[in-house]
Amino acid sequence: MSETQEMTFSDVAEHNSKKDLFIVVHDKVYDATAFVDEHPGGEEVLLDVGGQDATEAFEDVGHSDEARQILEGMEKAKLKRVPGDPEPHADPSSTSKADSPGTSPSGGGGADSSLGLAFYALVLLGGGLAFGAYKYLQAKSASESK
């Protein structure tokens, strides 16, 4: 890739077919045309974000380091933002989970894992109560039929 090559969103939007597919991830333009048939998630995943900013979709999946290396090899240009373009997505290298609210640097999980744990406990409690009610009604029914 040429260091000075830049493309705008309107340039990228023209490349949205299986035979000519560009995507934007973290303000870099990638030519994914050769990778469409090889993508482990299927071609539809790439075609759905073709010619667009795919940062959120790429990060939501949690791609491996190997996938990120493959992506680097497809880099075509830097994205040149112009007024009216969609807002950029957060760069994961600039914000870590430890910096985000509700998480602790020690890996304790913070508010998000507390909510998950509370939900899990609630489900277990509900299951226990339902089982207890079932056993109670079963015993009551057995005693009435004697």
Side-chain angles (χ1 to χ4, degrees):
M1 177 194 98
S2 166
E3 288 300 318
T4 58
Q5 188 173 1
E6 292 183 330
M7 295 179 76
T8 63
F9 264 115
S10 58
D11 295 332
V12 174
E14 296 173 9
H15 304 272
N16 62 1
S17 69
K18 183 175 178 177
K19 297 194 183 299
D20 182 25
L21 187 70
F22 287 9
I23 60 172
V24 175
V25 178
H26 297 298
D27 287 349
K28 292 181 182 176
V29 179
Y30 298 94
D31 183 350
T33 308
F35 191 67
V36 172
D37 291 326
E38 299 173 30
H39 188 261
E43 66 182 41
E44 285 301 314
V45 174
L46 288 176
L47 293 173
D48 285 346
V49 293
Q52 304 172 47
D53 189 340
T55 303
E56 188 173 345
F58 183 82
E59 293 301 339
D60 283 352
V61 172
H63 283 91
S64 66
D65 290 338
E66 182 182 0
R68 292 174 189 281
Q69 287 175 343
I70 292 170
L71 187 67
E72 285 177 21
M74 297 188 300
E75 189 172 339
K76 179 85 172 163
K78 301 279 184 206
L79 182 68
K80 179 181 179 183
R81 292 196 171 271
V82 295
D85 284 349
E87 291 295 316
H89 295 281
D91 185 357
S93 62
S94 66
T95 48
S96 68
K97 280 195 151 212
D99 293 338
S100 59
T103 59
S104 66
S106 63
D112 288 341
S113 69
S114 295
L115 284 175
L117 186 58
F119 179 72
Y120 181 70
L122 185 62
V123 168
L124 282 177
L125 181 63
L129 287 173
F131 181 73
Y134 169 75
K135 286 301 216 177
Y136 171 77
L137 291 172
Q138 194 176 34
K140 186 176 178 182
S141 174
S143 69
E144 287 178 357
S145 64
K146 285 184 180 179

